[in-house]
Amino acid sequence: MIRSVVRGTGQALPRRIMKNADFEGMVETSDEWIVQRTGIRQRHIASDDETTASLGEAAARAALANGGLTPDDIDLIVLATSTPNNTFPATAVEIQQRLGMRHGYAFDMQAVCSGFVYAVTTADAYIRAGLAKRVLVIGSETFSRILDWNDRSTCVLFGDGAGALVLEATEGAGTIADRGVLAASLRSDGTHKEKLYVDGGPSTTGTVGHLRMEGREVFKHAVGMITDVIEATFSQAGITAEDLDWFVPHQANKRIIDASAKKLGIAEEKVVITVDKHGNTSAASVPLALSIAAVDGRIKRGDLVLLEAMGGGFTWGAVLVRW
Ligand code: UT7
């Protein structure tokens, strides 16, 4: 059977770093509160010349170089983002143009923080259906542009960045020993919309709007939803937490990550953590963490890697990949 195997990974971060202490004169908060409640110490914030398209392009170029590929080798780009450069056209098409690609096709996916997990699952389905051979899957966000910088309950939590993977159609035996995407579970439930949303949009206010979140409410649901979807993925693949080499969760809050790993029985040393350095970069958080752990040599060929995310909608999902 055809498997979607990872050929390369890459990441990009804005130049400017904003530390927790930098908020202290802006809103009533402290480095101590932010670290204790979230594990975040700093985040990268895009300057005017850095956009979802430019960061996505940089991550894509890094992933192509990492895989020894060029844009000519790619036939599809799937970009996960909730902060596109424009309402339309899709920012994926802008990235395609920036890469100098006149062939193939490109589109955006919108599942907020779960966007990358949705995008990998979609790219895998396209590859297995024979609709694409090599797919650039990108998560890129500039959440700093939709934050209310006077709202301390949200502005300290998010950051900007991008990560990318190249998935390639490869013949596999159809067993769990294959390299590539092995199992995936996606979920959504719109009854939770008001707990995490943006209060604007083309069809309602005609404005971009600002992020609004009832953090405590999101927190209350997060661990249960994350562990449910991971258990569904484990049973699909016929594995247990002990079989995993790496857990790469969505980086929203260190306490959510720790509680989920503990409930699932995933050892602490198998968990990739970047939330301290990047904050919550929404759809970019999983590919950023994944790329960093692959490039620094932690994730090696043959390792069994579990990706997970949960966010606005609510949307949530998990993907199991053998590297
Ligand atoms: O990526 C999408 C998914 N999103 C998430 O996973 C986020 C999930 N939620 C969370 O991570 C946490 O709920 C937060 C980090 C947002 C908040 O942590 P918490 O432990 O749930 O705190 P809380 O919302 O219960 O607030 C505790 C107190 C409140 O004051 P009172 O009502 O106890 O007087 C807040 O007003 O902390 C206050 N507070 C702050 N204090 C200092 C809220 N934000 C801040 C702040 N600095 N930045």
Side-chain angles (χ1 to χ4, degrees):
M1 71 179 285
I2 296 174
R3 295 287 196 188
S4 308
V5 172
V6 177
R7 260 301 288 268
T9 63
Q11 85 243 14
L13 288 159
R15 295 182 297 274
R16 183 179 157 221
I17 291 175
M18 191 170 177
K19 305 246 183 217
N20 290 348
D22 298 334
F23 285 95
E24 286 174 3
M26 292 169 52
V27 288
E28 210 183 317
T29 192
S30 63
D31 175 50
E32 192 193 358
W33 189 95
I34 302 170
V35 172
Q36 257 182 21
R37 301 288 176 130
T38 70
I40 299 167
R41 293 181 182 278
Q42 63 171 50
R43 72 286 293 139
H44 290 248
I45 300 291
S47 302
D48 290 349
D49 64 328
E50 293 168 316
T51 65
T52 294
S54 74
L55 294 167
E57 177 199 357
R61 286 192 185 279
L64 289 170
N66 180 253
L69 300 166
T70 73
D72 289 345
D73 300 314
I74 300 298
D75 40 26
L76 167 62
I77 299 173
V78 185
L79 170 69
T81 190
S82 299
T83 47
N85 274 34
N86 297 86
T87 301
F88 79 78
T91 302
V93 177
E94 190 168 336
I95 292 174
Q96 179 190 24
Q97 179 264 326
R98 284 167 169 266
L99 293 173
M101 276 174 68
R102 301 289 296 276
H103 64 280
Y105 58 117
F107 59 85
D108 289 359
M109 291 207 77
Q110 219 278 45
V112 203
C113 297
S114 311
F116 190 75
V117 166
Y118 270 61
V120 168
T121 307
T122 303
D124 175 49
Y126 274 62
I127 286 174
R128 284 189 292 111
L131 296 172
K133 280 206 155 51
R134 278 194 210 94
V135 187
L136 248 174
V137 191
I138 308 168
S140 184
E141 301 277 22
T142 45
F143 260 50
S144 62
R145 306 257 157 80
I146 56 164
L147 294 176
D148 175 349
W149 288 91
N150 296 311
D151 175 10
R152 68 173 183 174
S153 71
T154 53
C155 72
V156 302
L157 303 175
F158 294 89
D160 302 332
L165 280 188
V166 180
L167 290 177
E168 181 177 67
T170 308
E171 200 62 44
T175 71
I176 198 73
D178 285 349
R179 293 182 66 212
V181 175
L182 300 174
S185 301
L186 300 180
R187 291 293 319 278
S188 65
D189 179 355
T191 61
H192 299 285
K193 179 182 171 185
E194 302 303 322
K195 297 184 181 88
L196 176 49
Y197 69 106
V198 167
D199 64 3
S203 187
T204 49
T205 59
T207 63
V208 171
H210 291 109
L211 182 149
R212 305 292 171 205
M213 178 165 73
E214 295 171 32
R216 204 177 310 192
E217 282 298 309
V218 179
F219 199 119
K220 249 175 36 193
H221 288 84
V223 177
M225 288 178 159
I226 289 165
T227 51
D228 273 3
V229 85
I230 289 174
E231 272 158 7
T233 310
F234 281 170
S235 73
Q236 220 186 91
I239 65 153
T240 68
E242 292 199 348
D243 298 313
L244 285 184
D245 294 294
W246 293 104
F247 178 39
V248 185
H250 174 47
Q251 309 282 322
N253 186 319
K254 176 83 164 49
R255 287 155 59 209
I256 297 176
I257 297 172
D258 290 347
S260 308
K262 192 169 170 206
K263 195 166 165 198
L264 290 159
I266 300 173
E268 210 179 320
E269 59 274 14
K270 292 182 177 176
V271 185
V272 176
I273 302 283
T274 53
V275 68
D276 53 334
K277 296 190 185 71
H278 304 156
N280 181 349
T281 56
S282 190
S285 98
V286 171
L288 255 172
L290 194 57
S291 175
I292 283 169
V295 170
D296 72 18
R298 273 178 287 174
I299 299 177
K300 294 184 186 63
R301 193 185 166 109
D303 281 355
L304 199 53
V305 184
L306 178 72
L307 318 180
E308 159 277 308
M310 182 262 177
F314 290 153
T315 53
W316 64 110
V319 175
L320 186 71
V321 189
R322 190 173 298 282
W323 210 251

